[in-house]
Amino acid sequence: MKKVTTTVLKKMKRENEKISMLTAYDCPTAKIMDDAEVDVILVGDSLGMVVLGYNDTIKVTVEDIIHHTSAVSRGAKRCMIVADMPFLSYHQGKYNSVKNAGRLIQEGNANAVKLEGGVEIIEDIKAIINAGIPVMGHLGLTPQSVNKIGGYYIQGKSVEEAEKIIADAVALEKAGVFSIVLECVPCELSKAITDRLSIPTIGIGAGKCCDGQVLVTNDLLGSYQGHIPKFVKQYENIGEKTKNAVEEYIKEVKNGQFPEECHEFHSKELEKIE
Ligand code: KIV
């Protein structure tokens, strides 16, 4: 078993091997993914929406991410585990940014952290990397800024916007991030960034030119009942399968079909009791 590290991911880019990344928030799912040999598990703050039932990612706390990352780390041994730094956990001075990133590594057992933003958070990113913590960047649509952006829209459609995102990507690479997530940007832009950088880009709604792809697992499996974006490919419909199984169970409990003989325990001695 060869552990996936930042060096492995950079080598994959050099050798044109695509990187697979998925989100996970619990131990059993992480184990299944690790056994399937996914390269990277992201304990994303999408946790807030797909697991905790919030409308957005804003309410997710450092404690939430630590709790779920440590569960994931008990299931996944081979893949790299990246923990999202939640809203406002890296906007209150470098000291706090390093402290919060350190907690995700020490208490959550993450291998790296992910931060949303470009040049405006570059000093925080440098401070975290200087503390020995690998950082993954996140540009394009940054859901923690949904209130500022005004919704979940494609970013970088105009030349001016695209140039800003390219400048951010170049600055992040220079600061030492090992990879960058590009979310909801035109393919022309993700290609320009991917060609320009020596670190891997991981796309979500950013087309096939990126060095890797990430999806929210609950979207891919069809277990999330909320809005499913256009860029998601749904590989299963676990939500429907779960509902069918639960309805079957309820029916069998009500009509006495479950439990059956094979599910019961018996005691010879107790047979004598009247
Ligand atoms: O929180 C998350 O799941 C993410 C992915 C969408 C990249 O940041």
Side-chain angles (χ1 to χ4, degrees), residues 3 13 15 31 65 156 165 233 249 258:
K3 175 82 184 166
K13 172 164 180 138
E15 295 179 355
K31 173 143 183 25
I65 298 284
I165 297 174
K233 179 167 176 183
Y249 165 77
F258 176 82

Side-chain angles (χ1 to χ4, degrees), residues 23 42 44-46 84 114 138 181 183 204 214 216:
T23 65
L42 170 68
D45 58 3
S46 48
D84 244 347
K114 178 168 79 59
H138 185 151
V181 166
E183 178 163 356
I204 173 161
V214 56
V216 171

Side-chain angles (χ1 to χ4, degrees), residues 21-25 42-48 50 57 65 84 114 116 136 138 141 143-144 181-183 202-204 214-217 219 231:
M21 175 159 127
L22 281 173
T23 65
Y25 319 94
L42 170 68
V43 185
D45 58 3
S46 48
L47 164 78
V50 300
T57 59
I65 298 284
D84 244 347
K114 178 168 79 59
E116 294 182 9
M136 178 179 271
H138 185 151
L141 176 61
Q144 288 173 16
V181 166
L182 296 175
E183 178 163 356
I202 314 279
I204 173 161
V214 56
L215 280 179
V216 171
T217 299
D219 291 344
F231 57 75

Side-chain angles (χ1 to χ4, degrees), residues 62 85 88-103 124 128:
V62 171
M85 291 196 67
L88 287 194
S89 66
Y90 50 99
H91 298 91
Q92 300 182 51
K94 286 189 279 183
Y95 173 82
N96 276 308
S97 301
V98 175
K99 192 167 147 229
N100 288 328
R103 290 191 65 201
D124 301 87
I128 295 169

